[in-house]
């Protein structure tokens, strides 16, 4: 839930600036197989609190949200995706992906007009498929390591790089930022949280039931997903860290 | 949310044959086969497995127990669970005694099957197509599929297949970029790092006795 307003933003900037400085001085080496998680004890406490919020609030709300007709939920998702387009556009450009930037621009234009303020994803049907970029991914493309893993209150799994990226996206790149536009921003943050939680429902249940250590599962899944996003959809096949696992029997 | 899908098991179809046919045509026309290219056999292996799983899920003559028994047999046949268990244990495998390794491997297999049983009711109605095959090295090939769930977004699933002793066996499943081996390795390393291999075995036994 990306809810709180200005104070949250200012705190985030200070936090990000502080850690960024400390961490640029100690650039991490190439991706190791073991997760980089020096703050694990703190992260686990925050994970526990997030789980609590999920069980008493977010989970039940997202279950109720799931009762809405599917076209309504698709509309909500489309509007949220459309509001993300400017951030994706800026980061496409910063990554030197001009073609993808063009796609993002076309999508935003088409869906904001023909798609009735983003309610319908007309652009996908016209051959402009959706993708997302954020400043965390841009920093990764620029060669910055992910830094230590972080479990953020309410926002969930992240890394130092991705949290700093999120702060920059929110405060510099996003014209519809959660932190800047009052009630609309809050509504958007709540919508994002509920819709995302709803789509992940089966995964959340599965992790709770079948994982030997849910915190480790969430961390591993997040870091792997981010890897795929940074590689623009390419899997980890052939990546040294991943491949080394399969030579472990030699 | 999952409950509504339980009744849709009859509606399973398959579009993979065309893909496999194209792959076979593509690989046999080139000189790639001379050095033992495993791409076409690996794609066929995954497709055969997929077809059998789909058939079990669709068979109206099977009750839940029989369905589970059949799926267990298929997974046991197609997967090198002993190797997967070992890769998941990672560096702790080298530290483990022979007896610990034996017990761990047995517990690992039992937990995989328990998880599958737990997920069984959410399966059904899937269709899949093979979207690509990538050779990694002389042993391993990755077959990419796209699985369409009824009423859901398609899921990209990669199947890593290893050639060993003249046959092909599954050694990892990667769903939307999340590898089962990598993820379970992280879980197992956490527990083994905290409470040792005996602590890990104890936790696995506890899980197994839990809600099964």
């Amino acid at each position: 839930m990306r809810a709180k307003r200005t104070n949250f933003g200012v705190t985030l900037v200070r936090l990000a600036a502080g850690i960024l400085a400390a961490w640029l001085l100690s650039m991490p080496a190439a991706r190791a197989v073991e997760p980089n998680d020096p703050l694990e004890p703190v992260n686990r406490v925050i994970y526990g609190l997030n789980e609590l919020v999920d069980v008493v609030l977010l989970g039940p709300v997202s279950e109720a949200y799931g009762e809405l007709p599917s076209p309504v939920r698709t509309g909500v998702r489309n509007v949220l995706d459309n509001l993300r387009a400017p951030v994706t556009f800026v980061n496409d450009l910063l990554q030197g992906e001009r073609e993808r930037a063009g796609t993002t621009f076309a999508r935003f234009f088409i869906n904001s007009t023909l798609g009735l303020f983003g309610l319908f994803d007309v652009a996908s049907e016209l051959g402009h498929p959706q993708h997302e970029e954020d400043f965390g991914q841009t920093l990764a493309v620029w060669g910055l390591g992910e830094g230590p893993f972080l479990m953020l209150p309410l926002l969930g799994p992240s890394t130092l790089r991705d949290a700093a990226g999120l702060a920059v996206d929110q405060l510099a790149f996003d014209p519809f930022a959660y932190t800047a536009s009052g009630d609309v921003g809050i509504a958007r943050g709540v919508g994002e949280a509920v819709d995302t939680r709803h789509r992940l429902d089966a995964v959340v249940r599965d992790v709770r039931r079948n994982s030997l250590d849910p915190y480790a599962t969430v961390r591993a899944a997040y870091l792997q997903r981010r890897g795929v996003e940074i590689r623009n959809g390419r899997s980890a096949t052939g990546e040294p860290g991943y491949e080394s696992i399969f030579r472990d029997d030699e | 949310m999952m409950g509504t899908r339980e009744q849709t098991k009859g509606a399973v179809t398959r579009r993979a044959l065309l893909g496999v046919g194209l792959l076979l045509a593509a690989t046999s026309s080139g000189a790639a086969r001379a050095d033992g290219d495993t791409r076409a056999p690996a794609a066929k292996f995954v497709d055969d497995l997929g077809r059998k799983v789909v058939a079990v899920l669709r068979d109206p003559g099977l009750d839940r127990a029989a369905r589970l028994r059949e799926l267990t047999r298929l997974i046991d046949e197609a997967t090198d669970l002993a190797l997967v268990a070992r890769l998941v244990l990672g560096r702790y495998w080298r530290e483990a005694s022979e007896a610990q390794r034996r017990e761990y491997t047995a517990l690992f297999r039992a937990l995989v099957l328990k998880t599958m049983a737990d997920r069984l009711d959410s399966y059904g109605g899937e269709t899949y197509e093979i979207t690509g095959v990538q050779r990694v090295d002389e042993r391993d090939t990755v077959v990419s599929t796209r699985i369409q769930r009824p009423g859901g977004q398609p899921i990209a699933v990669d199947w890593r297949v290893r050639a060993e002793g003249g046959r092909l066996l599954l050694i990892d499943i990667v769903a939307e970029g999340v590898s089962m081996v990598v993820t379970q390795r992280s879980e197992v390393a956490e527990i083994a790092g905290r409470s040792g291999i005996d602590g890990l075995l104890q936790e696995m036994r506890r899980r197994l006795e839990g809600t099964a």
Side-chain angles (χ1 to χ4, degrees):
Chain A
M1 241 178 288
R2 309 174 176 198
K4 267 200 178 166
R5 276 179 267 184
T6 37
N7 284 344
F8 174 66
V10 174
T11 317
L12 246 169
V13 174
R14 284 202 192 122
L15 195 72
I19 359 199
L20 200 64
W23 155 59
L24 285 169
L25 295 172
S26 57
M27 283 277 284
R31 179 100 174 79
V33 176
E34 304 297 328
N36 174 9
D37 191 2
L39 300 175
E40 182 169 343
V42 182
N43 283 338
R44 278 188 183 269
V45 171
I46 295 170
Y47 177 77
L49 293 173
N50 286 351
E51 280 288 284
L52 190 67
V53 172
D54 188 87
V55 169
V56 302
L57 189 63
L58 189 54
V61 171
S62 87
E63 203 165 315
Y65 173 74
E67 299 298 318
L68 293 173
S70 153
V72 175
R73 281 183 278 119
T74 305
V76 170
R77 184 70 255 159
N78 287 343
V79 168
L80 293 170
D81 283 346
N82 197 49
L83 291 173
R84 268 202 62 85
V87 167
T88 299
F89 177 73
V90 171
N91 284 293
D92 280 333
L93 288 179
L94 290 174
Q95 293 174 30
E97 300 271 3
R98 286 166 61 179
E99 205 170 305
R100 282 162 74 91
T103 301
T104 306
F105 186 83
R107 282 183 56 81
F108 186 67
F109 183 75
I110 293 168
N111 284 346
S112 300
T113 54
L114 289 176
L116 300 178
F117 302 105
L119 206 52
F120 299 97
D121 185 5
V122 188
S124 284
E125 281 155 45
L126 294 176
H128 303 290
Q130 198 234 354
H131 71 272
E132 282 186 9
E133 296 293 342
D134 53 65
F135 196 59
Q137 294 186 52
T138 299
L139 290 172
V141 170
W142 289 353
L144 209 61
E146 63 200 8
F149 179 76
L150 295 179
M151 187 63 74
L152 301 177
L154 300 180
L155 299 174
S158 190
T159 60
L160 187 50
R161 178 193 63 209
D162 294 342
L166 178 66
V168 171
D169 283 331
Q170 283 300 299
L171 297 163
F173 297 160
D174 194 340
F176 318 115
Y178 308 114
T179 45
S181 50
D183 292 342
V184 178
I186 292 174
R188 181 182 170 205
V190 170
E192 193 73 67
V194 171
D195 182 77
T196 303
R197 173 63 177 82
H198 171 70
R199 285 181 299 143
L200 287 174
D201 191 58
V203 178
V204 171
R205 283 167 198 264
D206 194 69
V207 168
R208 284 184 187 153
R209 289 173 66 94
N210 294 316
S211 168
L212 284 171
D213 183 338
Y215 170 84
T217 309
V218 168
R219 183 182 61 196
Y222 175 80
L223 295 175
Q224 292 177 78
R225 283 290 311 153
R226 286 300 279 177
V228 173
E229 285 167 7
I230 289 158
R231 293 187 298 270
N232 286 344
R234 200 164 49 73
S235 78
T237 304
E239 297 290 313
Y242 179 63
E243 291 303 330
S244 68
I245 292 173
F246 295 94
R247 287 190 295 272
D248 226 8
D249 62 322
E250 281 169 352
Chain B
M1 182 191 102
M2 305 306 294
T4 55
R5 289 189 192 147
E6 286 171 30
Q7 311 304 325
T8 55
K9 285 182 180 128
V12 180
T13 58
R14 192 175 53 94
R15 281 184 289 168
L17 263 187
L18 177 65
V20 176
L22 287 173
L23 283 163
L24 284 168
T27 49
S28 57
S29 63
R33 282 195 145 178
D35 65 341
D37 194 328
T38 49
R39 280 180 300 175
K44 184 178 181 306
F45 168 83
V46 169
D47 190 40
D48 284 346
L49 177 62
R51 201 167 39 209
K52 287 178 197 162
V53 168
V54 160
V56 168
L57 291 175
R58 182 167 45 178
D59 189 343
L62 296 175
D63 60 12
R64 192 179 186 285
R67 208 183 300 279
L68 189 56
R69 205 164 49 237
E70 283 302 298
L71 283 180
T72 305
R73 190 179 57 78
L74 285 175
I75 297 302
D76 256 343
E77 273 176 18
T79 313
D80 190 343
L81 273 178
L83 176 60
V84 174
R86 175 179 170 175
L87 297 177
V88 165
L89 195 54
R91 67 186 179 89
Y92 295 100
W93 179 265
R94 286 185 282 281
E95 296 171 15
S97 72
E98 201 48 53
Q100 284 174 324
R101 288 177 179 180
R102 257 198 313 277
E103 188 185 2
Y104 162 78
T105 306
L107 286 169
F108 183 85
R109 176 178 176 280
L111 278 172
V112 167
L113 298 179
K114 177 175 176 286
T115 302
M116 193 177 72
D118 184 64
R119 291 176 186 161
L120 182 63
D121 292 331
S122 67
Y123 294 152
E126 287 87 356
T127 61
Y128 70 88
E129 57 186 323
I130 292 176
T131 52
V133 186
Q134 183 186 355
R135 191 166 177 225
V136 182
D137 53 30
E138 60 287 348
R139 294 194 293 179
D140 293 357
T141 309
V142 175
V143 181
S144 299
T145 63
R146 184 162 36 236
I147 299 181
Q148 179 69 55
R149 314 204 55 184
Q153 291 284 318
I155 308 169
V157 182
D158 285 353
W159 310 79
R160 192 181 182 102
V161 177
R162 173 161 293 184
E164 43 189 333
R167 55 186 303 220
L168 294 170
L169 287 168
L170 196 57
I171 58 168
D172 195 15
I173 302 174
V174 183
E176 289 292 325
V178 180
S179 147
M180 282 182 59
V181 168
V182 172
T183 307
Q184 292 185 333
R185 211 174 138 98
S186 181
E187 296 166 16
V188 158
E190 280 290 327
I191 301 171
R194 222 170 20 232
S195 32
I197 294 165
D198 281 326
L200 171 67
L201 295 175
Q202 195 183 342
E203 177 63 20
M204 291 172 86
R205 277 194 297 268
R206 199 182 66 77
R207 279 310 180 108
L208 208 52
E209 288 153 9
T211 48

